Amino acid sequence: MACIPIPSDAICECLLGSLKWTFGHALRHACYLKNHQTNYETLIRENDMLRTIEEHVNKLVTAEDRKGRDIRREVEEWQKKTRELKNEAECIIRDFQEAQGTCTCCRGLPNCWYCYRRGKAAGRKHKEVAAHIEKAPMEAEQVSKPREINRAAPLNPKPLDGQETATRFVKEILDNIKDASISRIGVYGMGGVGKTTIVKHVHNQAKEFDFIMYIVVSQNLDYKHLQEKIAQYLELPLAKGADLSEGEKLILTRLKGWKYLLILDDVWQDLDIHVLGVPDPVNGSKVVVVSRTLDACHAMQTDKNIKVEAMCWKDAMSLFIQNTGDVIKQPTIEKIAMEVLRECGGLPIAITTIGAALRNNDDAAVWEDTLRALKQSTGETEGMDEKVFKILKLSYKFLDETKQNCFLYLSMFPEDEIIFTYFLSINWHLEGYIGDGMSIKEIVNKGREIILRLKNANLLESAGYAQNVNMHDLIRDLAVYVSSSEDEANFTKTGRGVSKAPTEEEWMKAKRISLMRTSIETLPDRPVSPQLKTLLFEGCEGIKTIPCSFFESMFALEILNLNGTMIKRLPDSLTKLKSLRALYFYGCKMLEDIAAIVDLPELQVLDLYLTGVKELPDGFVNLKKLRILRMGFTFKLCKIPPNLFSNMPLLEVLNMFRSYGLWKTDSEGRTSAGQSQGTLNLEDLADKENLSSVELTIKESGESIQRLMESKLVGRLEGLAIQCCGNFEGIDSSKAEDAERLKALMVQSCPELKKIIRGTDPKKVIFPDLRLLQLEELPMLERVYVEMEAHISFLKLEKLTIKGCKALKAIFTYELLKQLQNLVHFEVSNCPEVENVIDGQVGDEDEVFPKLTSFGIHNLQKLTTIYEGVLKLKALASVEVSKCPLLKKLPLDAQNCGKMRIVQGEKEWWEGLVWQEESTKAAFQKYLIIKPTDA
């Protein structure tokens, strides 16, 4: 083979290039050795400078965030990189410092390898730090940008179908809002005429505003509360308890330069919007003032005032028929019904109230008597049109004496208060209105029957979960008016606008005092109240201490409500309340010491729910008349007298859900001789024949669960929390069949649990009344529901929570979906293997989640789908998604989710979603709330 000659000059050029590269490389690395000390000192200087700049940037970030501006993502990335660089630089500096004096070889000469290596690290790092400093955002505009506007979610007023009068007022208000010459609009009219419904429709139909806010003011003007409501609309970080000036600055900064619509409903007096931080309505901004009086509109300096008149006859007739039914079309009823309707005066509240009272009643005599009463009734109160109370009081007079007393008792609750019906019934009993000689269960049932009657008469309204109720503010005014006129011994001052305790004379005269939700902070040392039977302080967050002698002269007190106060201990004078029968501490999270309770011999009801109580004193066994004891969610409770329940012969209701949970029994079901002082005996409860309702927590003992399910308690069990039971492998279906009343089940931190129910009979249905199910930190749990085995009934389930179940891959099977007809909310989080929420396909004819109003999914790293198709979730109002990076589709469309109001998620996730129709994305976009990526 012939050789190919290579030119000698090419060889020389190649050798020369190699020598240059080698020499330059060697020189650079030699500099690391030579300048290792200089590089070290430079790195210290650069790192110190970085710290100073970081502090400056952090202050800017805090200041801009308080102004309600969005922090730029690149700033957050710069802060994150800063923390990383500081840590890396400090490691290098620390390495230098530790090596000084030891960086020599065996003859005392410098160790060149160590010096080179550290010099190289310091040299490279100080250049990287210097480059990062150059990128620092030093000005406010570099740090933040105006916050993205989240449009206000529509309100949910009563529909105006066929109501020409109300529709006309909506249009008139909207026309005035569009008028550039008008900035403040007054809307006024008598109570119950429908003003609130009208302005809620205005809220929903108003366009071309950056912010739309609907705020209820109420009689007791509370600027702080109003600021908090506005801050919620504007998504401002207004701290609870912040002073007015701080809130004013935040709101003013947020609204300045933006076009807003502020609707202030139920205004009774002059309200300075500047105190709230709201700027004057200029450049297209508008304020709508809604009041019962024209004077209030004038005080608010309105430019145009619109009086809302009563309904026209056609609209009133339509509404009346909706409430009475077709009975008014009967020949014997029709003429009288028309006269009754005329007496209602076109007031929606009167028409619905009287209509409901006469619904489907075909007795002409009853209609004639109603007409007579309407024409003869009189009633009046300051600031209220006489004709309104004339009509509303008739509904009250329709009630028998027991229901009248129960209705007037409601006057002690604040405006817009959500009332817990269980304890409302108990208090009615303690007041002597209902339930003489009844069991607690019978008392509660009787109370709910009365509540149903009051609701049917439109004197009460449903309010959310657990059969709670509230009162229309006009109906509450009626209750206050009648109560004060018929019984001067009732003293009611409620709401945040009240800051002073009653006077000495008021304490002396009163039989009942309600100071609920007031701003009172200081109580008198020793008020003289010899007649006082009921004292309500619920929601008085300003009360942190009660004077030692406060109860000295309240010998007759029977009901004391301190729910939600901030007290830490009880005054010594509490022991003077020898007549006290009910004591409420719900939500007193600061309360730890309750030793004084042991000296209350007549106590029948004790509520320690959500308190900070750590132990029950030994004297608790003296409370032998106790009928209700609630200790749920007392997470700190660690000591209970072991013989407590054997010394409570009358106990009927016990709630220890998510509370103390150490229970044991020996083989005979009695306390062992060597049993721990802090362990309770299940058999002491099982033997109590009066005990009708039990909610328990069992910790660290699978055997105790088994004994519970085998005991006589199982049929009375309404709540069960199982926590930290390492040997618990599931509830035996044959033992659980009798737990027919179980409403709440929580299973947490049971590492061996694979199935909640153990059994092989698919015909067995367990827990048919279950409403709440929480499954948390169950690493071996495989399925929530297995249709081929005995299973839990989900027919009544309302809330489902699943957290930290590492083996779960899917949540809902097709069989399970068919049962979930009452599910209102579900939440799934921290389940790393979940790939889909609904496993399988749903038929077009199947109704899935008909009552579901909200769901949340969080930190499901493998989740790809909720459901492959589209679900018809017509009740859905809220969706929350976070840390689900693979989820690219939502099984929703705007047509089938007409009640959607909130969609929460990270910005990157939202922007990465794939939609079948862009119109669906556009429909949901207005409800979007962006969550921080690291939330």
Side-chain angles (χ1 to χ4, degrees):
M1 181 182 291
C3 295
I4 299 175
I6 299 176
S8 59
D9 55 343
I11 295 172
C12 292
E13 184 177 347
C14 180
L15 289 172
L16 184 60
S18 297
L19 288 170
K20 285 182 178 180
W21 181 88
T22 302
F23 179 79
H25 190 68
L27 181 62
R28 184 167 62 256
H29 284 272
C31 288
Y32 288 142
L33 173 63
K34 176 186 176 185
N35 298 327
H36 73 277
Q37 185 65 27
T38 302
N39 288 345
Y40 163 64
E41 294 169 355
T42 303
L43 179 60
I44 291 176
R45 289 195 301 273
E46 295 289 354
N47 195 47
D48 289 342
M49 183 178 295
L50 181 60
R51 285 178 177 279
T52 301
I53 292 174
E54 180 191 33
E55 185 178 346
H56 172 73
V57 172
N58 288 345
K59 288 180 179 179
L60 279 177
V61 167
T62 300
E64 293 301 291
D65 184 59
R66 286 180 175 173
K67 293 177 183 178
R69 292 171 63 88
D70 281 334
I71 305 304
R72 297 181 186 274
R73 183 188 301 173
E74 52 266 34
V75 175
E76 294 173 344
E77 292 173 351
W78 186 90
Q79 289 177 305
K80 180 180 178 181
K81 181 66 175 176
T82 299
R83 292 191 291 269
E84 293 173 355
L85 284 176
K86 285 194 307 175
N87 290 336
E88 292 165 0
E90 285 165 5
C91 285
I92 295 171
I93 293 169
R94 188 164 54 250
D95 195 25
F96 259 98
Q97 293 169 344
E98 292 174 353
Q100 287 182 358
T102 63
C103 190
T104 58
C105 62
C106 57
R107 297 183 179 180
L109 298 173
N111 188 321
C112 295
W113 167 247
Y114 284 137
C115 293
Y116 159 76
R117 190 183 65 176
R118 295 188 179 93
K120 178 181 178 182
R124 289 184 173 181
K125 191 55 63 179
H126 82 67
K127 290 178 181 177
E128 189 178 356
V129 171
H132 184 66
I133 289 173
E134 291 295 322
K135 299 176 183 178
M138 302 299 289
E139 303 295 334
E141 287 301 318
Q142 295 175 293
V143 166
S144 68
K145 59 184 178 180
R147 180 159 290 171
E148 295 182 8
I149 297 171
N150 293 317
R151 307 296 177 186
L155 302 175
N156 191 27
K158 295 177 181 178
L160 298 180
D161 299 339
Q163 296 186 30
E164 296 176 358
T165 309
T167 302
R168 174 169 54 83
F169 283 120
V170 171
K171 184 178 183 302
E172 184 178 358
I173 296 169
L174 287 170
D175 289 344
N176 279 275
I177 285 175
K178 295 174 184 177
D179 190 332
S181 65
I182 297 173
S183 60
R184 300 189 185 213
I185 302 163
V187 178
Y188 71 100
M190 66 176 63
V193 79
K195 302 183 297 297
T196 294
T197 299
I198 288 169
V199 296
K200 283 184 176 180
H201 281 279
V202 169
H203 172 280
N204 291 350
Q205 296 179 34
K207 307 293 182 184
E208 299 178 358
F209 290 95
D210 298 312
F211 299 101
I212 302 177
M213 298 164 283
Y214 171 82
I215 307 294
V216 179
V217 179
S218 78
Q219 283 178 285
N220 295 314
L221 181 59
D222 183 357
Y223 280 104
K224 282 190 177 181
H225 177 69
L226 298 180
Q227 274 191 345
E228 289 171 1
K229 290 293 185 183
I230 293 174
Q232 289 176 12
Y233 267 100
L234 303 179
E235 297 184 311
L236 293 173
L238 181 61
K240 191 172 183 179
D243 59 34
L244 282 171
S245 60
E246 182 178 351
E248 178 185 344
K249 291 175 184 176
L250 272 176
I251 294 170
L252 181 61
T253 303
R254 184 73 173 112
L255 288 177
K256 202 168 185 179
W258 295 97
K259 188 176 176 182
Y260 70 83
L261 171 62
L262 174 61
I263 300 175
L264 297 170
D265 196 5
D266 202 15
V267 176
W268 289 78
Q269 56 190 295
D270 184 20
L271 185 159
D272 188 350
I273 62 172
H274 300 118
V275 175
L276 299 174
V278 178
D280 284 322
V282 296
N283 300 323
S285 292
K286 307 286 180 177
V287 174
V288 176
V289 178
V290 186
S291 178
R292 295 182 185 177
T293 69
L294 181 60
D295 288 344
C297 296
H298 287 158
M300 293 290 294
Q301 301 177 2
T302 50
D303 304 312
K304 170 79 174 182
N305 294 305
I306 300 169
K307 182 177 182 180
V308 177
E309 303 282 1
M311 305 176 83
C312 68
W313 180 258
K314 179 183 176 182
D315 294 351
M317 173 66 77
S318 175
L319 186 61
F320 199 45
I321 293 175
Q322 289 177 31
N323 284 272
T324 62
D326 290 335
V327 67
I328 67 171
K329 297 179 181 179
Q330 295 183 13
T332 57
I333 302 295
E334 185 176 6
K335 185 176 179 180
I336 308 170
M338 296 305 101
E339 290 296 316
V340 170
L341 180 56
R342 285 190 181 90
E343 287 297 318
C344 290
L347 299 180
I349 187 65
I351 294 169
T352 55
T353 301
I354 301 302
L358 294 168
R359 184 170 183 81
N360 294 327
N361 192 322
D362 59 1
D363 188 340
V366 173
W367 282 86
E368 289 175 350
D369 189 64
T370 299
L371 180 59
R372 178 197 58 77
L374 276 171
K375 290 183 175 180
Q376 295 179 1
S377 177
T378 59
E380 59 185 12
T381 189
E382 184 179 354
M384 180 65 66
D385 189 284
E386 177 184 336
K387 194 169 186 178
V388 178
F389 271 159
K390 169 188 173 182
I391 293 168
L392 294 179
K393 194 173 181 181
L394 177 62
S395 295
Y396 164 74
K397 288 192 172 183
F398 268 149
L399 305 174
D400 59 37
E401 184 178 357
T402 295
K403 294 183 181 68
Q404 285 185 352
N405 288 331
C406 292
F407 172 72
L408 295 181
Y409 183 85
L410 294 165
S411 67
M412 294 197 293
F413 290 88
E415 194 170 300
D416 301 321
E417 179 79 0
I418 294 177
I419 303 167
F420 188 23
T421 58
Y422 182 93
F423 284 111
L424 178 61
S425 301
I426 298 300
N427 285 352
W428 279 343
H429 164 68
L430 295 172
E431 292 281 358
Y433 302 152
I434 64 172
D436 186 27
M438 291 183 179
S439 68
I440 295 298
K441 183 178 180 179
E442 291 169 340
I443 290 167
V444 172
N445 288 341
K446 180 63 178 177
R448 286 177 175 163
E449 185 267 329
I450 291 175
I451 288 166
L452 178 61
R453 298 294 182 187
L454 293 176
K455 287 167 66 176
N456 289 344
N458 279 330
L459 295 174
L460 275 180
E461 300 173 349
S462 296
Y465 185 73
Q467 300 180 329
N468 295 337
V469 294
N470 62 5
M471 301 182 78
H472 186 286
D473 59 355
L474 186 59
I475 299 297
R476 178 183 176 273
D477 288 346
L478 171 69
V480 172
Y481 163 69
V482 176
S483 179
S484 60
S485 61
E486 294 186 0
D487 189 354
E488 295 182 358
N490 284 352
F491 180 88
T492 299
K493 291 283 186 180
T494 60
R496 300 298 179 200
V498 178
S499 58
K500 293 182 179 180
T503 64
E504 289 183 10
E505 183 180 358
E506 289 166 339
W507 282 109
M508 175 66 75
K509 289 183 177 180
K511 291 182 180 178
R512 297 181 186 88
I513 292 178
S514 176
L515 301 170
M516 293 174 65
R517 313 278 177 209
T518 62
S519 300
I520 292 173
E521 296 181 358
T522 304
L523 296 173
D525 290 335
R526 191 177 181 273
V528 178
S529 302
Q531 302 182 85
L532 190 63
K533 292 182 62 178
T534 299
L535 180 57
L536 309 180
F537 283 121
E538 181 167 345
C540 295
E541 298 176 348
I543 296 180
K544 298 178 181 178
T545 59
I546 299 176
C548 289
S549 302
F550 183 77
F551 297 111
E552 289 277 359
S553 298
M554 298 184 185
F555 311 112
L557 193 64
E558 295 184 6
I559 300 174
L560 175 59
N561 186 331
L562 292 163
N563 289 346
T565 58
M566 296 291 109
I567 59 173
K568 296 181 179 180
R569 62 180 302 274
L570 304 177
D572 296 337
S573 58
L574 188 76
T575 60
K576 302 290 185 180
L577 304 179
K578 302 302 182 183
S579 299
L580 195 67
R581 296 200 290 163
L583 184 54
Y584 300 107
F585 295 114
Y586 182 102
C588 295
K589 297 179 181 180
M590 308 299 292
L591 180 63
E592 296 182 353
D593 181 7
I594 56 170
I597 291 176
V598 302
D599 292 318
L600 303 175
E602 298 298 318
L603 198 63
Q604 297 181 27
V605 181
L606 177 59
D607 191 357
L608 298 172
Y609 212 85
L610 273 170
T611 61
V613 172
K614 295 181 178 179
E615 63 178 66
L616 300 186
D618 292 336
F620 236 71
V621 297
N622 298 327
L623 303 178
K624 298 189 182 298
K625 292 189 177 182
L626 208 60
R627 300 175 70 185
I628 298 177
L629 177 58
R630 284 174 27 107
M631 300 187 291
F633 292 86
T634 49
F635 302 117
K636 297 180 181 179
L637 186 60
C638 60
K639 181 185 175 183
I640 296 180
N643 60 340
L644 176 66
F645 300 120
S646 61
N647 284 277
M648 292 184 172
L650 303 180
L651 191 65
E652 297 180 54
V653 177
L654 174 65
N655 186 324
M656 296 178 67
F657 188 76
R658 299 197 67 177
S659 179
Y660 187 91
L662 299 179
W663 301 83
K664 285 185 181 178
T665 59
D666 62 14
S667 57
E668 286 77 34
R670 295 298 169 193
T671 307
S672 303
Q675 186 171 299
S676 167
Q677 176 75 9
T679 304
L680 298 174
N681 191 341
L682 282 170
E683 299 301 326
D684 285 343
L685 287 179
D687 289 343
K688 304 187 76 62
E689 294 186 2
N690 288 330
L691 193 62
S692 61
S693 173
V694 183
E695 295 188 51
L696 298 178
T697 299
I698 294 182
K699 298 179 181 178
E700 304 175 8
S701 175
E703 180 185 356
S704 293
I705 300 170
Q706 181 178 349
R707 289 297 178 88
L708 171 65
M709 304 311 291
E710 294 173 347
S711 74
K712 292 182 290 186
L713 285 172
V714 68
R716 296 172 270 176
L717 195 63
E718 294 192 11
L720 176 61
I722 301 171
Q723 296 177 298
C724 305
C725 293
N727 59 346
F728 176 60
E729 296 182 358
I731 301 173
D732 190 327
S733 63
S734 64
K735 310 294 184 185
E737 285 182 272
D738 293 331
E740 296 180 346
R741 291 170 55 191
L742 190 74
K743 293 179 173 62
L745 174 63
M746 175 190 181
V747 186
Q748 180 186 56
S749 302
C750 298
E752 300 300 320
L753 183 69
K754 293 183 179 180
K755 301 172 184 176
I756 303 168
I757 300 296
R758 291 185 288 114
T760 56
D761 185 354
K763 295 181 181 179
K764 288 184 178 179
V765 177
I766 312 300
F767 310 148
D769 202 27
L770 192 67
R771 312 298 176 91
L772 167 70
L773 178 61
Q774 293 177 264
L775 306 173
E776 299 182 9
E777 306 304 326
L778 306 174
M780 302 293 287
L781 185 68
E782 298 170 345
R783 299 291 287 268
V784 178
Y785 176 99
V786 182
E787 55 268 24
M788 298 307 295
E789 301 179 0
H791 56 269
I792 298 174
S793 170
F794 292 104
L795 289 173
K796 294 185 179 180
L797 193 70
E798 297 175 356
K799 184 175 180 180
L800 172 65
T801 302
I802 301 175
K803 297 181 180 180
C805 297
K806 297 180 180 179
L808 276 178
K809 292 189 176 181
I811 308 301
F812 303 118
T813 63
Y814 177 73
E815 289 297 321
L816 178 55
L817 284 178
K818 290 192 294 185
Q819 288 202 49
L820 294 170
Q821 298 299 298
N822 287 295
L823 192 69
V824 175
H825 172 80
F826 75 83
E827 180 177 354
V828 185
S829 62
N830 301 324
C831 298
E833 296 302 316
V834 169
E835 297 176 357
N836 51 65
V837 175
I838 298 176
D839 188 12
Q841 287 294 316
V842 178
D844 292 337
E845 71 284 356
D846 292 324
E847 188 173 21
V848 178
F849 299 141
K851 295 184 180 180
L852 188 72
T853 61
S854 62
F855 70 82
I857 50 177
H858 311 284
N859 197 24
L860 307 181
Q861 296 297 318
K862 291 187 178 181
L863 180 70
T864 57
T865 58
I866 294 175
Y867 175 67
E868 287 291 348
V870 174
L871 296 174
K872 299 176 181 179
L873 304 178
K874 296 185 178 181
L876 189 66
S878 174
V879 173
E880 185 174 355
V881 180
S882 65
K883 298 182 181 179
C884 298
L886 303 183
L887 182 63
K888 301 300 181 183
K889 291 183 180 180
L890 291 177
L892 311 173
D893 64 28
Q895 183 178 358
N896 292 313
C897 298
K899 293 188 177 181
M900 184 67 74
R901 297 294 178 264
I902 298 173
V903 179
Q904 292 190 63
E906 298 108 330
K907 186 176 182 181
E908 292 178 346
W909 168 77
W910 174 260
E911 292 176 347
L913 284 176
V914 177
W915 303 87
Q916 287 186 341
E917 297 181 4
E918 282 299 314
S919 60
T920 300
K921 180 180 181 180
F924 290 163
Q925 180 82 43
K926 59 186 176 182
Y927 306 128
L928 179 65
I929 297 175
I930 296 296
K931 296 185 66 174
T933 304
D934 58 347

